[in-house]
Amino acid sequence: MEEKLTVSISPHIREDISIRRIMYSVVVALLPALFFSIYIFRMKVLTIVLLSIGAAVGSETLCQYLFKRKITITDGSAVITGILLAFNLPPDSPFWLPIVGSIFAVVIAKQLFGGLGYNFINPALAGRAFLMASWPKIMTHAWEIPTHGTLSGIDAITSATPLTVLKEAKGILADPLSSAQSIATAKQALFQLGSKTSLSNLFFGSVGGCIGETSALFLLIGAVFLLVKKYIDWKIPLSYIGTVFILTLFIPTGINSLFHILSGGLVLGAFFMATDMVTSPVTPKGRWIFGIGCGAITVLIRLWGGYPEGVSYSILLMNCATPLIDIYTKPKKFGVVKKKATTEENTKEKERLG
Amino acid sequence: MLYKTFKGGIHLQTNKATDKKKIKPLPLPERVVIPVSQHTGKPSTPIVKLGDKVKTGQKIAEAEGFVSVPQHSSISGEVKEIAHYPHPVLGRDALSIVIESDGKDKWIKRKKHDYTKLARSEIVEIIKNGGIVGLGGAAFPTHVKLSPPKEKPIDTLILNGAECEPYLTVDHRTMLERTEDIIKGAKIIMKVLECDRCIIAIESNKKDAIEKFKNLIKDERIEVFTLKVKYPQGEERQIIKACLKREVPSGGLPMDVGVVVQNVGTVCAIYDAVHRDIPLLERSLTISGSGIKEPQNVKVRIGTILKNVIDNCGGYADGVGKIIMGGPLMGIAQYTDEVPILKATSGIIVQTEDEVSIEEEQPCIRCSRCVDVCPMRLLPCEIANYAEHHNFDKCEELDIMDCKECGSCSFVCPAKRNIAHLVKFAKNEIMSKM
């Protein structure tokens, strides 16, 4: 035997899968929504996304260089953070906003905790929360209504997002000092929001909102790709959106449940951010709990919180609960079977009690 | 059609290139190296001296206690050496008896038995004296499995013909070529266990074997079950779950749920020992992989040197990278090809250099693919993380000892983490402290 033999422990074959492939598949899945966003908001959006990606990748490189870690920017995780952060920004953000946000996301939320795999909260959402706390006006006001392809004509009109309108309208209705006229306007606004036209606008994406959350349809196209590839688990989006749907069905919110699902960043959050592997539970039961928790907190914030939208905070809060969820939802290992005796004992007990 | 199976597990490219190739008996080896330990349990003790003349089938090492089996000479000739030689499973040199052939293959006297006239204890004694161990890979002494305590009655015997490891086709071929013998062997075991149900469990990719059994079984106590093609379907606990929906309790044995599982090759060996009085001294195995010129199934005497077997299969292809004894998922990589074929060697897979996967480990991204595939429903990623930091108490809390080391977790890991390796390491550390 001339050759040198490799000796290693089994298994001796590995599946053709890598972190890089999973990460870039997520990037690909985000592209339809990005292209649509560029189509409706024009090239400004592309600049914001590119700046965001650039800042994320750049700060990751710098951090890894300074911390003397292996440079792993090609794994695609920083690219995703950049895109997702940009998706969470208003389309007419100043250009420094994505840069500051991405640097916070990558440096503070990810690299300081040890880099990929060790961060306990979703970096992009941490970045968004930071921007939200620091520059609330820029982050929540002055939304641009999509010009919807009329690249030449109509100037963008500044308007509130549907969820902001909902919150304000409900505020007017709840206030005993509101004038009859404003109450009528608020009622009218609510009626319009819940109408079929409004819902289809939400679905196809001709409403005001963040860069990435305007069209549910294009986000779903990417999500289906990830689900088919099994790169994300269906349990989290299903339980998340399902919880929001059921809760808003039974709690009188002044508007129908479909509006709650399609508006804001719910679709983006449920399929692309709550499913972030690093910060969500690994156990099957834990994923259900994680999704339900996200849904409940989202509804709580939307209905009774100070912000119109609750998706990002709900995910961040559940991220923090993830280690705890994992501990308490350890799967029942193979070979721990319920004793047959217990069912027999139960029936006997029932018989005894008559 | 929905075939029977268990939860979890992985789908593999089966690469069963040799499933149409008949088992070819190889010429007698000039020399055999027979380690005294080829089984789970205490090593046997040599009962021959240097220079002794031995015949084929002669006992050369005696079992030590109940969980142990004797060894037999697989050729006739002279004992040349009793010394330490490389052992393919232990990974170090182990005491072995070296016999040089006289080329005559002179057998000891044999007498045929009629099992129906033998008492159960007599059959078990024949099996024990025949040195029979599980041929599927674990090499557990068969007579121990066939002696369950009175308080644990056995109601079902499962013949394991799943052969879920890629490349291996030897069980498939054995089922096709020795169908009748397997059925007869099953009847012997059923008599020993006093059970009246036998399931022959075969994965659905071996349709011809399933058909052949269905045509030849004339006994209503014996059924054929078709299982889904999935790894590790052939693992004892998983095959019981698939066939009977029973879960062997954690830390328990199949007999705790009234089941005994035997590999189909072992059943043939039992038939040979009882009917024809032939101890376990030869076995069939698959020689495959891109590093082999002519992949095929061969029958060799126990103790034949691996290199000689390969030479008889047209030799190595260019650029050999890894020699694996067993399947690619659970087999053991060899550091030399001067190791003997053991009783439990089900195959030799040779990978070429570019097939050898050495990829850099990345941090765990908690994707939970390992959790989804773990057939024992453990949390492999968490266990591996604790094992890496030598936190063995936490590993035990996470039920590391329930792991059957099937390697599915390492296989699916996108971060290329050596999860199974870390688990084995931690288990060793924990066992050494017990």
Side-chain angles (χ1 to χ4, degrees), chain A residues 25-338:
Chain A
S25 300
V26 177
V27 172
V28 169
L30 287 167
L31 287 181
L34 175 62
F35 288 145
F36 182 69
S37 198
I38 294 170
Y39 170 67
I40 56 174
F41 294 121
R42 293 180 264 167
M43 296 313 276
K44 200 156 117 201
V45 159
L46 186 64
T47 321
I48 292 173
V49 172
L50 288 179
L51 283 173
S52 185
I53 294 174
V57 174
S59 50
E60 179 139 300
T61 320
L62 194 68
C63 266
Q64 288 176 332
Y65 176 76
L66 289 177
F67 297 159
K68 296 193 173 67
R69 290 196 188 124
K70 204 175 159 274
I71 309 280
T72 57
I73 45 165
T74 50
D75 67 17
S77 63
V79 178
I80 295 182
T81 301
I83 299 180
L84 284 179
L85 181 89
F87 271 26
N88 277 295
L89 300 178
D92 55 350
S93 308
F95 288 150
W96 55 266
L97 199 69
I99 299 174
V100 174
S102 275
I103 291 173
F104 183 90
V106 168
V107 177
I108 308 287
K110 189 175 167 193
Q111 288 299 335
L112 285 187
F113 285 94
L116 180 66
Y118 299 102
N119 52 301
F120 73 103
I121 47 174
N122 186 318
L125 285 177
R128 178 191 145 97
F130 168 71
L131 296 179
M132 197 72 171
S134 310
W135 297 280
K137 270 202 170 159
I138 304 173
M139 289 296 286
T140 52
H141 288 273
W143 298 98
E144 198 178 337
I145 285 233
T147 49
H148 212 68
T150 50
L151 292 170
S152 54
I154 317 156
D155 278 356
I157 314 154
T158 307
S159 153
T161 67
L163 276 174
T164 319
V165 175
L166 175 69
K167 196 114 207 171
E168 280 168 4
K170 286 184 70 189
I172 292 165
L173 291 180
D175 190 349
L177 298 174
S178 301
S179 66
Q181 196 194 347
S182 57
I183 286 176
T185 327
K187 276 188 176 164
Q188 174 71 12
L190 279 183
F191 176 74
Q192 272 176 2
L193 280 182
S195 71
K196 263 189 190 164
T197 339
S198 151
L199 289 180
S200 92
N201 282 347
L202 284 169
F203 189 71
F204 293 107
S206 45
V207 292
C210 290
I211 290 173
E213 64 187 30
T214 48
S215 167
L217 174 70
F218 286 90
L219 287 169
L220 286 174
I221 292 173
V224 166
F225 167 70
L226 291 183
L227 285 170
V228 169
K229 283 274 183 187
K230 291 192 176 158
Y231 291 157
I232 58 173
D233 188 9
W234 53 273
K235 293 187 197 81
I236 291 174
L238 180 73
S239 54
Y240 191 166
I241 296 174
T243 304
V244 171
F245 184 80
I246 290 167
L247 284 181
T248 50
L249 204 63
F250 291 106
I251 302 171
T253 60
I255 199 138
N256 59 43
S257 290
L258 269 180
F259 173 83
H260 275 285
I261 289 177
L262 294 173
S263 61
L266 184 60
V267 174
L268 176 67
F271 285 98
F272 292 97
M273 293 191 288
T275 53
D276 172 30
M277 296 161 171
V278 179
T279 53
S280 59
V282 292
T283 64
K285 239 191 243 167
R287 295 180 163 208
W288 287 110
I289 294 173
F290 184 86
I292 292 169
C294 284
I297 297 173
T298 301
V299 172
L300 213 63
I301 294 176
R302 279 191 186 178
L303 298 186
W304 295 290
Y307 292 108
E309 172 60 315
V311 168
S312 48
Y313 290 107
S314 73
I315 298 172
L316 284 173
L317 282 170
M318 290 312 287
N319 282 166
C320 301
T322 293
L324 205 63
I325 295 174
D326 268 342
I327 289 173
Y328 286 107
T329 56
K330 200 177 97 179
K332 197 176 66 182
K333 68 179 176 184
F334 187 95
V336 184
V337 200
K338 276 180 214 154

Side-chain angles (χ1 to χ4, degrees), chain B residues 94-324:
Chain B
L95 189 64
S96 311
I97 301 166
V98 182
I99 297 162
E100 207 167 82
S101 173
D102 56 12
K104 290 172 193 151
D105 197 23
K106 275 177 74 180
W107 282 70
I108 46 154
K109 269 195 183 158
R110 291 185 279 144
K111 60 168 194 277
K112 288 184 180 179
H113 300 288
D114 180 358
Y115 85 94
T116 50
K117 292 192 182 115
L118 290 171
R120 290 166 52 213
S121 58
E122 285 174 309
I123 299 177
V124 174
E125 201 51 36
I126 292 172
I127 291 170
K128 185 181 178 186
N129 277 326
I132 296 176
V133 299
L135 299 189
F140 192 75
T142 301
H143 65 274
V144 181
K145 265 188 170 181
L146 297 183
S147 319
K150 271 212 178 94
E151 64 274 16
K152 286 176 185 164
I154 303 298
D155 57 51
T156 312
L157 164 72
I158 296 178
L159 301 195
N160 188 346
E163 201 163 51
C164 55
E165 280 259 20
Y167 292 98
L168 303 186
T169 56
V170 60
D171 286 351
H172 186 183
R173 288 313 306 177
T174 306
M175 287 191 285
L176 283 174
E177 294 172 31
R178 300 195 62 187
T179 324
E180 295 271 17
D181 295 351
I182 292 173
I183 297 171
K184 283 177 194 158
K187 286 177 183 167
I188 298 172
I189 304 172
M190 283 162 79
K191 175 173 175 169
V192 172
L193 296 172
E194 287 184 309
C195 74
D196 45 16
R197 189 182 185 201
C198 169
I199 295 168
I200 305 176
I202 306 172
E203 277 191 355
S204 64
N205 57 357
K206 296 179 251 301
K207 289 263 170 3
D208 44 355
I210 295 168
E211 280 310 305
K212 195 153 184 205
F213 270 116
K214 280 185 176 162
N215 291 334
L216 288 176
I217 293 170
K218 299 278 183 288
D219 189 331
E220 60 197 13
R221 300 175 304 164
I222 307 175
E223 304 166 69
V224 181
F225 276 17
T226 310
L227 308 179
K228 196 173 169 184
V229 180
K230 194 159 82 172
Y231 178 86
Q233 187 74 77
E235 187 74 44
E236 239 176 20
R237 280 150 212 268
Q238 272 61 47
I239 207 164
I240 294 171
K241 175 81 177 174
C243 292
L244 299 167
K245 295 199 166 65
R246 296 181 199 168
E247 284 192 12
V248 177
S250 161
L253 290 168
M255 61 170 79
D256 293 326
V257 290
V259 182
V260 163
V261 182
Q262 292 288 354
N263 169 271
V264 285
T266 318
V267 179
C268 280
I270 290 171
Y271 168 83
D272 285 342
V274 177
H275 263 268
R276 298 159 65 197
D277 200 19
I278 301 176
L280 182 55
L281 43 77
E282 63 181 356
R283 74 154 295 148
S284 309
L285 68 157
T286 304
I287 315 292
S288 190
S290 6
I292 295 283
K293 278 205 177 128
E294 297 160 22
Q296 55 192 286
N297 291 303
V298 294
K299 189 192 258 180
V300 301
R301 297 288 167 94
I302 307 292
T304 309
I305 299 300
L306 194 153
K307 188 176 183 304
N308 300 349
V309 179
I310 306 279
D311 288 343
N312 274 309
C313 294
Y316 295 107
D318 288 340
V320 169
K322 201 188 249 186
I323 300 175
I324 303 156

